Amino acid sequence: MEECKIKNMYDLDQTIAKELFYGKTYPWEVLPFIGDFLKELGEKLDPDIYEKRGENIWIAKSARIYDAANICGSCIIGENTEVRPGAFIRGNAIVGSDCVVGNSTELKNVILFNHVQVPHYNYVGDSVLGYYSHMGAGSITSNVKSDKTLVVVKDKNEGEEIATGLKKFGAMLGDHVEVGCNSVMNPGTVICPGTNVYPLSSVRGVIPANHIFKNKDEIVEKKL
């Protein structure tokens, strides 16, 4: 599971939440702590850059929030980020700078690093999306197993498993991950940096870095 470790998944300088990852090995370990960390961080933000717009809601003054967006839970929204009409942020969301949260996109208990785009009809729950990652239209994270059991991260290539102890766990997307339209990341998905996922994919388990996921039986290394 070496590729899944925080140090190999993310450039922590590209998130305002970098301190939350300190002392942890795998990125999903931050999920239970996002809410409390957000509230502590919000009170320390520079008032020249951020303004408080509600209970535990801090939004950068340079961010563009459309009137039809619905922000009803604790969040931090970074500089120059755009939250488009119909977006629904319902709690414990740390959204970086220069991001796009688009039409009918829902966020819940997430960290979006800088330059993340979830621009069209996306559901992102209990997930971490790395620097410059992008989810195509209609792609979603599924964050609860159908049998409601605890999520286990499985790396079939290495024959390894890690019990997370979490009931809710969507996806960990590394830096520069591209997810094709109308794809589903099943609970416990980890997509390592630089990997592309074909449209209409159903993804589960650990997908290695710098690969192309065509289907579960065809995951090929990129020719760089």
Side-chain angles (χ1 to χ4, degrees), residues 95-183:
V95 180
S97 299
D98 301 293
C99 293
V100 175
V101 180
N103 174 38
S104 300
T105 290
E106 180 179 350
L107 303 182
K108 173 256 177 187
N109 201 49
V110 296
I111 298 173
L112 275 55
F113 279 52
N114 299 334
H115 289 280
V116 169
Q117 293 194 350
V118 282
H120 313 285
Y121 306 101
N122 306 112
Y123 173 68
V124 189
D126 301 285
S127 298
V128 178
L129 276 55
Y131 179 54
Y132 266 110
S133 60
H134 170 257
M135 291 176 60
S139 60
I140 65 169
T141 63
S142 173
N143 61 336
V144 180
K145 295 173 65 175
S146 59
D147 61 5
K148 307 300 188 293
T149 57
L150 301 181
V151 175
V152 176
V153 175
K154 299 180 180 181
D155 186 340
K156 292 184 178 179
N157 291 327
E158 301 296 331
E160 294 182 86
E161 296 185 359
I162 296 178
T164 69
L166 300 171
K167 184 178 179 180
K168 293 187 176 182
F169 174 158
M172 304 289 119
L173 305 189
D175 294 344
H176 297 278
V177 165
E178 288 279 344
V179 177
C181 296
N182 291 319
S183 293

Side-chain angles (χ1 to χ4, degrees), residues 9-172:
M9 288 281 287
Y10 302 111
D11 178 356
L12 293 182
D13 289 333
Q14 295 298 332
T15 176
I16 198 171
K18 64 186 297 182
E19 293 182 6
L20 180 56
F21 292 84
Y22 292 170
K24 299 176 179 63
T25 302
Y26 297 105
W28 54 84
E29 294 173 19
V30 308
L31 293 177
F33 307 106
I34 293 174
D36 288 340
F37 176 83
L38 184 161
K39 294 168 188 175
E40 293 176 9
L41 177 61
E43 299 293 347
K44 302 175 185 176
L45 294 173
D46 186 345
D48 291 332
I49 299 174
Y50 291 86
E51 60 182 353
K52 192 171 185 180
R53 297 197 189 177
E55 186 177 1
N56 300 319
I57 296 174
W58 292 269
I59 298 176
K61 295 176 182 179
S62 61
R64 184 176 183 183
I65 313 297
Y66 284 81
D67 290 341
N70 188 345
I71 301 174
C72 62
S74 303
C75 70
I76 295 172
I77 297 174
E79 296 180 81
N80 303 310
T81 283
E82 187 172 289
V83 181
R84 293 174 176 169
F88 180 30
I89 299 177
R90 65 180 176 93
N92 296 345
I94 300 176
V95 180
S97 299
D98 301 293
C99 293
V100 175
V101 180
N103 174 38
S104 300
T105 290
E106 180 179 350
L107 303 182
K108 173 256 177 187
N109 201 49
V110 296
I111 298 173
L112 275 55
F113 279 52
N114 299 334
H115 289 280
V116 169
Q117 293 194 350
V118 282
H120 313 285
Y121 306 101
N122 306 112
Y123 173 68
V124 189
D126 301 285
S127 298
V128 178
L129 276 55
Y131 179 54
Y132 266 110
S133 60
H134 170 257
M135 291 176 60
S139 60
I140 65 169
T141 63
S142 173
N143 61 336
V144 180
K145 295 173 65 175
S146 59
D147 61 5
K148 307 300 188 293
T149 57
L150 301 181
V151 175
V152 176
V153 175
K154 299 180 180 181
D155 186 340
K156 292 184 178 179
N157 291 327
E158 301 296 331
E160 294 182 86
E161 296 185 359
I162 296 178
T164 69
L166 300 171
K167 184 178 179 180
K168 293 187 176 182
F169 174 158
M172 304 289 119

